[in-house]
Amino acid sequence: MDAYRITDADDRLNELVRRAEAGENVEIERDGRIVARLVAAGSDPARSGADFDWNAYFEATKAWPFDPTNSVVKMRKDARY
């Protein structure tokens, strides 16, 4: 993955968008720090509208040695006394 300074990215935006469409992640930097990333639309499942599988989550938490829904309440209560 290549990083481009903002001024360079501005001059080469068309090329960088084509590279992102092809599946490459393109990073944009300012003052040596990554400030943006070009990625193909729909390539990030967290932002593509993919639903979270709550049933799988609740099945997985059944095996936990504590009740995750009650743990914060218990911590607060224990901290008071």
Side-chain angles (χ1 to χ4, degrees):
M1 181 174 353
D2 296 326
Y4 296 89
R5 293 187 325 225
I6 287 182
T7 54
D8 295 336
D10 186 30
D11 295 338
R12 303 170 69 179
L13 184 59
N14 201 23
E15 172 199 344
L16 298 179
V17 169
R18 273 195 219 109
R19 290 171 70 176
E21 287 176 323
E24 184 177 340
N25 292 342
V26 179
E27 294 181 336
I28 312 287
E29 64 180 32
R30 177 189 294 143
D31 299 326
R33 219 171 31 106
I34 304 297
V35 295
R37 183 171 295 122
L38 291 176
V39 297
S43 65
D44 184 3
R47 299 197 185 274
S48 67
D51 291 331
F52 185 79
D53 189 354
W54 285 104
N55 291 329
Y57 170 78
F58 288 124
E59 279 300 313
T61 59
K62 285 180 182 177
W64 290 0
F66 62 92
D67 180 6
T69 59
N70 202 22
S71 60
V72 173
V73 173
K74 183 178 178 334
M75 286 187 292
R76 286 182 179 166
K77 185 176 178 181
D78 291 348
R80 290 185 184 162
Y81 305 105

